[in-house]
Amino acid sequence: MTSDEHTLLNHYNINTLYPTAWPAEKDESDTSNDEQPTNKTKRPAHSRAKSRYSALIRSGSDRRSLVPGSEKTGDGIENLVQKDEPDPLGGPDSVVRILRQHGLPVEEDQRLRNRFLLSSTTFSPTLYLSQVHSDASTQSLLRGLESLSRSIDQKSASLKVLVESNFERFVRAKTTIDNVYAEMRNQGADAPVPERPRTRSRITSKGSAHFRNSSAQGSFSPRGVDKALPSDKKKHALVKESEYGVQGIKAPLIEVAVKAEEIWGPALGGRAREETLKSALASVEECSAIVEIGPALSSYIKRKDYDSVVDEYRKARRFAEEARAMANQTSGGRGPLTESQVYRVVITARMWSGVEKQIDDFRREIWRRLTNVEAPPLSAAGQHTTDEPMALIGVLLELGVEDNPIWFWLLSRYDYLKTKITASFERSRVEIEILRRRLANAEPPPLRSAITHLKGPRDTAWHNKAHHLDTPAVLELWDLIHSSVSYLLSTAGGLLGEVIEFWDKAQAFIDGKIQRTLPIGLDGQSRKHHRLSTDGVKDLQKGFVELIEMLRDSVLAFFAEPPIEDVSMLYSPLQSTTPTTPKSAVFAPFAHQDSRFRFDASNPPPPSPKRGEAWEDFAFWPPHANALSGIHYLEKVLTLVAAAAMELGDLRPVSSSSRVQEGLKTLINGTRERCVNALAAAWIRDAEMFHLMETFVRHSERRDLTSLPAYFLAFENAVLSGLQRLAYVPDVASKAGSSSWITPPTSTTLKLIRRDFTKTIYMVLSDMIKDAEKHSSPQDTQSLEPMDAISLSANDGFDGGNDESQSIRLLLTMSNIKYFQADLIPQLITHFETSFSLKIPEETKTIKDVLGQIEAKLFKSYTGPSAEKLASIIYNGITSSSWVPTTDHPTELRPYVYEALLLVVYIHSEVSTTAAPLLHAIISHLFERMVHAFLSAFLARADRYTLAALMQATLDVEFVASILSQYTTARAGELQNEVYQELDARTDNSARQRLQKELPGMRAILKKLREGTRGEFACFKKVRGK
């Protein structure tokens, strides 16, 4: 850029040599300093318009800057700081361009720019060198210093020459002015007091602040002005005391006027007064219609008859125009007015003055009411009905106003909604926190009550019975949270609905639909208010987006932020920061004084105690609430949030702004994630209490199970379904166009649900083992008895205080684990994978392995004592000295065989009546242990077996095997063969051969023995058809 171009830019105060539009600041540059800046957004309704000739009125102090490129500050004060300057060190011709290249916002920040301009008082050399000459070398800085020194010398020399060449002229002018003023001031004085000669120098002249103060010093001294002047001369002196020379003739003129009035006044005034009164009376009668306008207008205003007010105003305006045209006849050369015409003009002027005053007051009242008026509701057809705001706007347009009433009402409505959103959200937040603190500081609900609520999902209609989901205090807080969010985001009766109605009304004004029904005013003077400016439309769109962002930020802050600490809002009155905004202190639904939120300001509710609970981090989760109530209410809340975001996303200002759309998506995703996290934490907490449901009471339909698996299955299915609805929001996702708003849950959310799903299963299984293996007491049984359970009786085979109850616990737990393994866990895994479209093969395998380990552990815990007892009976029986038969052909079994089998009979009875599906596995295992005990006992005998011993051993083993043949296994067969091999190894060939001959007889003996014990061991007989 050349120096000439730079000079042009600074002179005309523009940024480019080829501007495309007239700069807006040029419109304001001619405004006089005494004018106040106008407010683009809102002006007082009662502000009076300035005269149309105000632009021609210029005060004497109005000056224009002669410095090219100078600017005005925000308060209208002009300074000499230019917008741009060349480098004072002789570098580039634009400092601002260099700073802009360095990324500094000097065009937006005037204070920052002034720190780099040499003409500014805030110029910072250090900052200038560090930014403009950040990469300058030492040589270039030295050259810049030389250039700066030459520039300073040149300017100093020019200034010196200017002062020296004009100094004498200045002194002569100063002396002449002082002499003229002294002569005018001291006219009529006896003699001027000689002044003390003063030496004038350049320093004193330069330091004098005012010519009069310096030149008239002698006149104002005690020897000058304060000395009394002769009265005859003082009358003609040009001083204030003599009224600047007029005092001498003023008194005689007044005396002459008084005398003339005393003599000729009564003679000349009586007849004229009579004629004047007659003429005035005739004029009044002739102008009765004009006189009646004022009272009629006042009556219509009191009755709020807007149409009649406008008609009367039109009539008064017509009379005023006629009177003005009548008065203009004189100036138009048509001759003077008649007396009746003069009276008509005077009466009309008086009437018009009163009408204008009434209309001005009426306008102010209409402005006030327009500020406070509520928004109109929509009709059934979705059209805006005739409402009070439009009626008030129509009245103002009819009467004619400088400010745009449409724009004024839209701004008032915007301020009202903005204040209402902030106040409503803060109030709701504090009220929720008050109830939350009371819940947190209260005692947790009894375990019996908590367990009862967790049993709710067994009822298929549990979701519709909200009052059974949790305690009344928790449900009260849930209802408050839901109603508060609904009040913010509901389109029917909520703040969101009001915001949308505001935009619908604004859009109708932007499109010009409503203006078609509005008046254009007298002579079309209000037509200019019918169309909003482009800047006004942009401001409306920005304001609407701001209201949306306020709603979004409020809801997101409630869900994303921890509980608030300050609750002083409830006992500190709300200070309205916008006096023109209506009803800023009280908003529905908080207009009532709820007793729940009344408390002494000196004793507010204490903060929530910190116990490490998960709900302490969530402002929207009631303390001690279970997952079921959370599912019921959070599903409704999240549906409201998602539906509101979609509703707003379809509106024009939002659909055209990707930033606002992303903010609404963040609202949905952030709220959903926090809800899932809170629900997952409550899920874990509820699972920890599930073992308290295990009272070992039989299931009403499956007697081999307790009620715990059914309760757990129903609870897990309910939670998984609730999490699925929270993650995918199906009520909103089913609507058209929802795919761009309701995105799938993040991998972090799915990972959390997956982890907690397996964790709850492990927790319940672990607690089941602990409950089964612990030794119960009668007190334990009584404490675990549920409210709706069947009393434990002998028929259940359960007694809380003996070893038998321990075995029944193990049997029922094993049966439950078997049910978990076969049915319950596969159902839950299928439900999880279907709900979240996520396969969990690793977790499935781990759960199955854990179930297998638990089953094996419980099986061993139950069969171990019985197996050891059987082994002891068999071992002691065989190793006893009385085991060897005394006859050569034994025909009876040894007593230990009956004793062992009777023990198995008892176990069979216990298992079959408690957990029948486990019977075969348990008896088969005991049979294997019995055969193993036979083998161990025979190995323990050191002597060799005779034929009688072989026959006795064969009878004992074969009888047991034939009685328990239904429960034989491959392992039992192998062990039985090992028993026979051991017996065969302990005898000789002769005994073997004789044993083979005795086998038919032994079969007959075994048959006889089985027939004889058919009743005792009938339980082991295989039932036909099974």
Side-chain angles (χ1 to χ4, degrees), residues 96-140:
V96 173
R97 187 177 71 250
I98 298 175
L99 296 175
R100 188 167 59 248
Q101 292 175 355
H102 290 180
L104 295 178
V106 291
E107 293 183 346
E108 296 80 6
D109 192 345
Q110 182 178 356
R111 293 185 178 180
L112 178 63
R113 183 180 62 191
N114 289 347
R115 299 191 68 186
F116 295 96
L117 299 181
L118 188 61
S119 58
S120 172
T121 57
T122 60
F123 174 74
S124 174
T126 305
L127 185 62
Y128 179 86
L129 292 175
S130 64
Q131 296 294 334
V132 179
H133 294 278
S134 58
D135 53 352
S137 62
T138 305
Q139 294 299 326
S140 63

Side-chain angles (χ1 to χ4, degrees), residues 91-342:
D93 57 350
S94 176
V95 174
V96 173
R97 187 177 71 250
I98 298 175
L99 296 175
R100 188 167 59 248
Q101 292 175 355
H102 290 180
L104 295 178
V106 291
E107 293 183 346
E108 296 80 6
D109 192 345
Q110 182 178 356
R111 293 185 178 180
L112 178 63
R113 183 180 62 191
N114 289 347
R115 299 191 68 186
F116 295 96
L117 299 181
L118 188 61
S119 58
S120 172
T121 57
T122 60
F123 174 74
S124 174
T126 305
L127 185 62
Y128 179 86
L129 292 175
S130 64
Q131 296 294 334
V132 179
H133 294 278
S134 58
D135 53 352
S137 62
T138 305
Q139 294 299 326
S140 63
L141 292 177
L142 291 175
R143 288 193 299 271
L145 179 61
E146 295 176 358
S147 176
L148 181 61
S149 300
R150 288 194 301 272
S151 176
I152 293 173
D153 293 341
Q154 292 174 1
K155 292 182 179 179
S156 300
S158 300
L159 183 62
K160 183 177 180 181
V161 171
L162 178 65
V163 172
E164 289 178 353
S165 60
N166 293 279
F167 181 74
E168 295 297 333
R169 186 181 303 170
F170 168 75
V171 171
R172 288 195 299 271
K174 177 69 167 57
T175 303
T176 301
I177 293 171
D178 290 345
N179 293 336
V180 171
Y181 179 75
E183 183 179 352
M184 294 175 63
R185 178 69 178 81
N186 297 327
Q187 183 178 0
D190 291 336
V193 180
E195 297 183 0
R196 183 164 53 94
R198 295 182 297 175
T199 60
R200 295 184 178 271
S201 65
R202 294 186 180 183
I203 299 177
T204 58
S205 297
K206 184 177 181 181
S208 59
H210 199 282
F211 297 155
R212 297 183 180 182
N213 293 339
S214 60
S215 62
Q217 183 176 0
S219 301
F220 288 104
S221 64
R223 297 174 297 173
V225 176
D226 294 341
K227 185 176 180 180
L229 298 176
S231 60
D232 55 344
K233 294 183 179 181
K234 188 175 181 181
K235 293 180 180 179
H236 306 289
L238 297 178
V239 293
K240 185 176 181 181
E241 291 80 359
S242 64
E243 298 185 10
Y244 302 98
V246 183
Q247 186 178 6
I249 64 174
K250 185 175 181 179
L253 290 176
I254 293 175
E255 292 177 359
V256 169
V258 171
K259 289 294 184 182
E261 180 65 25
E262 290 177 357
I263 298 173
W264 298 102
L268 299 176
R271 184 61 178 265
R273 187 178 302 110
E274 179 183 0
E275 295 296 331
T276 301
L277 291 176
K278 289 181 180 180
S279 176
L281 181 59
S283 299
V284 169
E285 293 176 353
E286 182 181 354
C287 303
S288 60
I290 300 176
V291 176
E292 293 172 356
I293 290 179
L297 184 63
S298 177
S299 175
Y300 293 143
I301 290 175
K302 291 179 180 179
R303 289 186 292 172
K304 297 182 180 179
D305 188 352
Y306 299 149
D307 295 337
S308 300
V309 169
V310 174
D311 292 340
E312 290 298 320
Y313 181 68
R314 287 177 178 272
K315 189 187 300 183
R317 189 181 180 92
R318 186 177 68 252
F319 285 131
E321 292 293 338
E322 293 175 357
R324 188 176 293 108
M326 199 177 296
N328 291 334
Q329 291 180 6
T330 304
S331 60
R334 301 179 183 177
L337 300 177
T338 63
E339 291 185 4
S340 61
Q341 290 177 331
V342 171

Side-chain angles (χ1 to χ4, degrees), residues 691-692 694 696 766-774 809:
H691 70 282
L692 299 177
E694 185 57 277
F696 296 97
S766 175
D767 291 337
M768 288 172 64
I769 297 175
K770 294 178 182 178
D771 290 339
E773 291 183 344
K774 72 180 180 180
R809 282 176 180 268

Side-chain angles (χ1 to χ4, degrees), residues 513-533:
K513 297 178 181 178
I514 300 180
Q515 288 90 323
R516 299 170 187 171
T517 61
L518 294 177
I520 61 175
L522 299 173
D523 300 329
Q525 62 179 352
S526 297
R527 192 186 300 275
K528 61 183 179 180
H529 298 319
H530 278 214
R531 184 160 298 278
L532 301 177
S533 64

Side-chain angles (χ1 to χ4, degrees), residues 581-825:
T581 301
K583 304 177 184 178
S584 59
V586 179
F587 295 107
F590 311 114
H592 62 281
Q593 296 294 327
D594 198 329
S595 60
R596 296 176 299 175
F597 310 113
R598 293 178 184 172
F599 53 85
D600 187 3
S602 61
N603 187 26
S608 301
K610 301 297 183 180
R611 302 189 182 98
E613 296 285 352
W615 45 260
E616 295 174 0
D617 297 329
F618 302 100
F620 60 91
W621 190 272
H624 313 299
N626 60 44
L628 300 178
S629 62
I631 291 172
H632 178 77
Y633 283 94
L634 289 182
E635 180 183 354
K636 294 181 179 180
V637 169
L638 191 56
T639 300
L640 273 174
V641 173
M646 285 187 59
E647 184 78 18
L648 293 173
D650 294 336
L651 299 177
R652 186 184 303 175
V654 179
S655 60
S656 59
S657 175
S658 58
R659 179 184 61 83
V660 181
Q661 287 185 336
E662 289 300 323
L664 294 176
K665 291 178 182 179
T666 301
L667 170 64
I668 298 175
N669 296 330
T671 304
R672 176 177 61 182
E673 184 175 353
R674 289 285 288 177
C675 290
V676 170
N677 290 341
L679 182 57
W683 189 14
I684 297 297
R685 182 176 176 272
D686 293 342
E688 292 176 351
M689 295 190 294
F690 243 89
H691 70 282
L692 299 177
M693 291 187 189
E694 185 57 277
T695 57
F696 296 97
V697 176
R698 310 292 181 85
H699 192 272
S700 59
E701 298 178 359
R702 291 195 55 174
R703 302 295 292 175
D704 58 317
L705 302 176
T706 64
S707 299
L708 177 63
Y711 287 133
F712 181 69
L713 177 61
F715 175 78
E716 289 288 288
N717 283 330
V719 175
L720 288 176
S721 298
L723 285 170
Q724 192 271 344
R725 291 192 295 271
L726 289 180
Y728 294 96
V729 200
D731 292 341
V732 180
S734 59
K735 299 180 180 179
S738 61
S739 58
S740 59
W741 294 96
I742 310 299
T743 58
T746 62
S747 58
T748 304
T749 302
L750 291 178
K751 185 178 180 181
L752 173 67
I753 299 174
R754 182 177 181 175
R755 182 199 66 189
D756 290 349
F757 170 66
T758 56
K759 187 175 181 179
T760 55
I761 294 177
Y762 293 152
M763 293 173 64
V764 172
L765 293 176
S766 175
D767 291 337
M768 288 172 64
I769 297 175
K770 294 178 182 178
D771 290 339
E773 291 183 344
K774 72 180 180 180
H775 292 278
S776 64
S777 64
Q779 291 78 12
D780 296 333
T781 304
Q782 184 178 3
S783 64
L784 291 174
E785 182 180 358
M787 297 173 60
D788 57 346
I790 303 174
S791 299
L792 301 177
S793 63
N795 293 331
D796 292 321
F798 185 84
D799 184 7
N802 52 31
D803 294 336
E804 185 178 1
S805 65
Q806 177 69 18
S807 62
I808 293 177
R809 282 176 180 268
L810 291 172
L811 283 174
L812 290 174
T813 305
M814 280 194 296
S815 183
N816 289 341
I817 294 298
K818 199 73 174 178
Y819 177 71
F820 267 74
Q821 193 173 24
D823 296 329
L824 191 147
I825 296 300

